[in-house]
Amino acid sequence: MSVTPATVSRDVSLPTDTSASNEPAALVRGVSPVLEVPFTASGDIDPDGFRRVVRYVLATGVTSMMFPGFASEFYKLTEDERQTLTAVLLAETGPRPDVAAIIAVQDHATQLAVARAREAIAAGADLINLLPPHFLSPSRQALVDHVRAVLDAVDPTPVVLQYAPNETGTSLDSASVAAIAAQHPNLRLVKVESSPPGRLIAELAALDPPLASIEGYAGVQLPDAIRRGAVGTQPGCSFTEIYVEIWRRFSEGDEAGGEELHRRLLPYISYWMLDTELIIAAEKHISARRGLITSDFCRGPAHELDREERYMIDRFLIDFADLLPDLSDR
């Protein structure tokens, strides 16, 4: 499918004024963090700590958040733990029409994915984030059938389709996504985590009607994604304030300022994103150092930060002290 990239305005609106619409998909704009899961030092989930994480993220002014994702270590949670934490999140977001909770579905079996998505909506999810199956390399047609089945099952609830080829090896091109969206209007956004993401974002923005994209992958390519039409970014949550400030600068026309702040951040996130378990460990250590969570425990198998990586986090906290307040007394 040959698509001419759209001409994209650089005046991107932050998710600060949603008075015109509280439609859930319209709230997924700007920064939409993926929530981390605090564990105790002995490795149990910490629901009260998770509630604190949710409230911290909300206090940064974002209007949507996602759980559970790779940053949440979803693949290391039991079903009961997942349900407990989801209930904590939805209890915080449910009373607020200005905030959307995106609940993720990663099940490999279509039947299980459909059931989980329906359960999430019944519990109060505003949107579903769908990660297509990837174990044992299913065919493209099997992936399309899976996505269509979930979209049918949850219609009219809006769905975010997660495209994460580096983590999953799964490949869906813009033509496949466009064909799905043409028959399923509740496919409202695509989370693009290819590297680089810009070309696919532009192709989706050029569709008729356009399909909105949010950029993932820790924001490594965020400025390019914004210029190509991304409506938001979905990083981890341990330093949400930095991403909010980058987005604010771009949205207010301060492209140079946004680029400058992103350049300061890039040496850190580009290293941490070399491995998913590495950035999980780094973000949890940052959260613990900031006083957001009590332990930086990651369930094994996990990345063990070495001395140099801990020094790197020391430098990060010094470099961004102006944007990252101590959270221990909140």
PDB file of all heavy atoms in Angstrom, residues 180-195:
ATOM      1  N   ILE A 180      -8.535  -3.279   8.666  1.00  0.00           N
ATOM      2  CA  ILE A 180      -9.250  -3.581   9.908  1.00  0.00           C
ATOM      3  C   ILE A 180     -10.061  -2.364  10.364  1.00  0.00           C
ATOM      4  O   ILE A 180     -11.243  -2.469  10.699  1.00  0.00           O
ATOM      5  CB  ILE A 180      -8.256  -4.005  11.012  1.00  0.00           C
ATOM      6  CG1 ILE A 180      -7.548  -5.314  10.633  1.00  0.00           C
ATOM      7  CG2 ILE A 180      -8.979  -4.167  12.352  1.00  0.00           C
ATOM      8  CD1 ILE A 180      -6.397  -5.667  11.551  1.00  0.00           C
ATOM      9  N   ALA A 181      -9.418  -1.197  10.353  1.00  0.00           N
ATOM     10  CA  ALA A 181     -10.086   0.014  10.828  1.00  0.00           C
ATOM     11  C   ALA A 181     -11.294   0.369   9.971  1.00  0.00           C
ATOM     12  O   ALA A 181     -12.279   0.916  10.476  1.00  0.00           O
ATOM     13  CB  ALA A 181      -9.090   1.176  10.843  1.00  0.00           C
ATOM     14  N   ALA A 182     -11.236   0.048   8.684  1.00  0.00           N
ATOM     15  CA  ALA A 182     -12.342   0.383   7.790  1.00  0.00           C
ATOM     16  C   ALA A 182     -13.624  -0.341   8.183  1.00  0.00           C
ATOM     17  O   ALA A 182     -14.731   0.168   7.977  1.00  0.00           O
ATOM     18  CB  ALA A 182     -11.966   0.041   6.352  1.00  0.00           C
ATOM     19  N   GLN A 183     -13.491  -1.535   8.769  1.00  0.00           N
ATOM     20  CA  GLN A 183     -14.660  -2.322   9.156  1.00  0.00           C
ATOM     21  C   GLN A 183     -14.937  -2.279  10.653  1.00  0.00           C
ATOM     22  O   GLN A 183     -15.970  -2.784  11.103  1.00  0.00           O
ATOM     23  CB  GLN A 183     -14.470  -3.772   8.712  1.00  0.00           C
ATOM     24  CG  GLN A 183     -14.410  -3.930   7.191  1.00  0.00           C
ATOM     25  CD  GLN A 183     -14.320  -5.381   6.766  1.00  0.00           C
ATOM     26  OE1 GLN A 183     -14.404  -6.296   7.583  1.00  0.00           O
ATOM     27  NE2 GLN A 183     -14.139  -5.601   5.475  1.00  0.00           N
ATOM     28  N   HIS A 184     -14.017  -1.706  11.413  1.00  0.00           N
ATOM     29  CA  HIS A 184     -14.158  -1.672  12.872  1.00  0.00           C
ATOM     30  C   HIS A 184     -13.849  -0.253  13.359  1.00  0.00           C
ATOM     31  O   HIS A 184     -12.721   0.044  13.760  1.00  0.00           O
ATOM     32  CB  HIS A 184     -13.222  -2.680  13.534  1.00  0.00           C
ATOM     33  CG  HIS A 184     -13.451  -4.084  13.119  1.00  0.00           C
ATOM     34  ND1 HIS A 184     -14.358  -4.923  13.740  1.00  0.00           N
ATOM     35  CD2 HIS A 184     -12.897  -4.813  12.112  1.00  0.00           C
ATOM     36  CE1 HIS A 184     -14.341  -6.104  13.153  1.00  0.00           C
ATOM     37  NE2 HIS A 184     -13.463  -6.069  12.159  1.00  0.00           N
ATOM     38  N   PRO A 185     -14.839   0.626  13.363  1.00  0.00           N
ATOM     39  CA  PRO A 185     -14.589   2.018  13.760  1.00  0.00           C
ATOM     40  C   PRO A 185     -14.153   2.180  15.209  1.00  0.00           C
ATOM     41  O   PRO A 185     -13.674   3.257  15.582  1.00  0.00           O
ATOM     42  CB  PRO A 185     -15.926   2.712  13.487  1.00  0.00           C
ATOM     43  CG  PRO A 185     -16.946   1.619  13.413  1.00  0.00           C
ATOM     44  CD  PRO A 185     -16.226   0.419  12.896  1.00  0.00           C
ATOM     45  N   ASN A 186     -14.312   1.135  16.031  1.00  0.00           N
ATOM     46  CA  ASN A 186     -13.834   1.265  17.412  1.00  0.00           C
ATOM     47  C   ASN A 186     -12.324   1.044  17.524  1.00  0.00           C
ATOM     48  O   ASN A 186     -11.760   1.185  18.616  1.00  0.00           O
ATOM     49  CB  ASN A 186     -14.587   0.351  18.372  1.00  0.00           C
ATOM     50  CG  ASN A 186     -14.476  -1.122  18.052  1.00  0.00           C
ATOM     51  OD1 ASN A 186     -14.461  -1.513  16.875  1.00  0.00           O
ATOM     52  ND2 ASN A 186     -14.427  -1.961  19.075  1.00  0.00           N
ATOM     53  N   LEU A 187     -11.633   0.711  16.422  1.00  0.00           N
ATOM     54  CA  LEU A 187     -10.173   0.772  16.410  1.00  0.00           C
ATOM     55  C   LEU A 187      -9.801   2.241  16.260  1.00  0.00           C
ATOM     56  O   LEU A 187      -9.854   2.810  15.174  1.00  0.00           O
ATOM     57  CB  LEU A 187      -9.589  -0.057  15.266  1.00  0.00           C
ATOM     58  CG  LEU A 187      -8.063   0.039  15.092  1.00  0.00           C
ATOM     59  CD1 LEU A 187      -7.327  -0.281  16.386  1.00  0.00           C
ATOM     60  CD2 LEU A 187      -7.596  -0.871  13.962  1.00  0.00           C
ATOM     61  N   ARG A 188      -9.428   2.870  17.365  1.00  0.00           N
ATOM     62  CA  ARG A 188      -9.293   4.324  17.396  1.00  0.00           C
ATOM     63  C   ARG A 188      -7.846   4.808  17.387  1.00  0.00           C
ATOM     64  O   ARG A 188      -7.591   5.924  16.948  1.00  0.00           O
ATOM     65  CB  ARG A 188     -10.013   4.874  18.634  1.00  0.00           C
ATOM     66  CG  ARG A 188     -11.518   4.585  18.636  1.00  0.00           C
ATOM     67  CD  ARG A 188     -12.245   5.315  17.529  1.00  0.00           C
ATOM     68  NE  ARG A 188     -12.076   6.749  17.676  1.00  0.00           N
ATOM     69  CZ  ARG A 188     -12.833   7.487  18.484  1.00  0.00           C
ATOM     70  NH1 ARG A 188     -13.808   6.935  19.212  1.00  0.00           N
ATOM     71  NH2 ARG A 188     -12.627   8.788  18.582  1.00  0.00           N
ATOM     72  N   LEU A 189      -6.944   3.993  17.905  1.00  0.00           N
ATOM     73  CA  LEU A 189      -5.550   4.424  17.953  1.00  0.00           C
ATOM     74  C   LEU A 189      -4.632   3.224  17.730  1.00  0.00           C
ATOM     75  O   LEU A 189      -5.019   2.080  17.985  1.00  0.00           O
ATOM     76  CB  LEU A 189      -5.198   5.057  19.303  1.00  0.00           C
ATOM     77  CG  LEU A 189      -5.977   6.296  19.749  1.00  0.00           C
ATOM     78  CD1 LEU A 189      -6.886   5.942  20.915  1.00  0.00           C
ATOM     79  CD2 LEU A 189      -5.015   7.410  20.162  1.00  0.00           C
ATOM     80  N   VAL A 190      -3.406   3.524  17.309  1.00  0.00           N
ATOM     81  CA  VAL A 190      -2.366   2.509  17.203  1.00  0.00           C
ATOM     82  C   VAL A 190      -1.183   2.983  18.040  1.00  0.00           C
ATOM     83  O   VAL A 190      -0.725   4.128  17.890  1.00  0.00           O
ATOM     84  CB  VAL A 190      -1.917   2.288  15.745  1.00  0.00           C
ATOM     85  CG1 VAL A 190      -0.806   1.242  15.683  1.00  0.00           C
ATOM     86  CG2 VAL A 190      -3.105   1.855  14.880  1.00  0.00           C
ATOM     87  N   LYS A 191      -0.710   2.124  18.927  1.00  0.00           N
ATOM     88  CA  LYS A 191       0.516   2.421  19.662  1.00  0.00           C
ATOM     89  C   LYS A 191       1.679   1.888  18.839  1.00  0.00           C
ATOM     90  O   LYS A 191       1.841   0.678  18.683  1.00  0.00           O
ATOM     91  CB  LYS A 191       0.499   1.786  21.058  1.00  0.00           C
ATOM     92  CG  LYS A 191       1.778   2.097  21.853  1.00  0.00           C
ATOM     93  CD  LYS A 191       1.760   1.477  23.241  1.00  0.00           C
ATOM     94  CE  LYS A 191       3.033   1.829  23.995  1.00  0.00           C
ATOM     95  NZ  LYS A 191       3.068   1.228  25.352  1.00  0.00           N
ATOM     96  N   VAL A 192       2.485   2.789  18.306  1.00  0.00           N
ATOM     97  CA  VAL A 192       3.556   2.422  17.388  1.00  0.00           C
ATOM     98  C   VAL A 192       4.873   2.356  18.147  1.00  0.00           C
ATOM     99  O   VAL A 192       5.371   3.367  18.641  1.00  0.00           O
ATOM    100  CB  VAL A 192       3.651   3.437  16.228  1.00  0.00           C
ATOM    101  CG1 VAL A 192       4.767   3.030  15.267  1.00  0.00           C
ATOM    102  CG2 VAL A 192       2.317   3.530  15.490  1.00  0.00           C
ATOM    103  N   GLU A 193       5.427   1.143  18.234  1.00  0.00           N
ATOM    104  CA  GLU A 193       6.686   0.940  18.940  1.00  0.00           C
ATOM    105  C   GLU A 193       7.752   0.338  18.037  1.00  0.00           C
ATOM    106  O   GLU A 193       8.706  -0.269  18.510  1.00  0.00           O
ATOM    107  CB  GLU A 193       6.456   0.052  20.163  1.00  0.00           C
ATOM    108  CG  GLU A 193       5.542   0.687  21.182  1.00  0.00           C
ATOM    109  CD  GLU A 193       5.546  -0.051  22.506  1.00  0.00           C
ATOM    110  OE1 GLU A 193       4.897  -1.106  22.594  1.00  0.00           O
ATOM    111  OE2 GLU A 193       6.202   0.428  23.452  1.00  0.00           O
ATOM    112  N   SER A 194       7.581   0.513  16.744  1.00  0.00           N
ATOM    113  CA  SER A 194       8.650   0.130  15.839  1.00  0.00           C
ATOM    114  C   SER A 194       9.780   1.137  15.982  1.00  0.00           C
ATOM    115  O   SER A 194       9.598   2.234  16.519  1.00  0.00           O
ATOM    116  CB  SER A 194       8.143   0.090  14.389  1.00  0.00           C
ATOM    117  OG  SER A 194       7.492   1.303  14.055  1.00  0.00           O
ATOM    118  N   SER A 195      10.954   0.776  15.488  1.00  0.00           N
ATOM    119  CA  SER A 195      12.096   1.679  15.628  1.00  0.00           C
ATOM    120  C   SER A 195      12.809   1.806  14.280  1.00  0.00           C
ATOM    121  O   SER A 195      13.441   0.852  13.830  1.00  0.00           O
ATOM    122  CB  SER A 195      13.064   1.141  16.695  1.00  0.00           C
ATOM    123  OG  SER A 195      14.106   2.061  16.938  1.00  0.00           O
TER     124      SER A 195
END
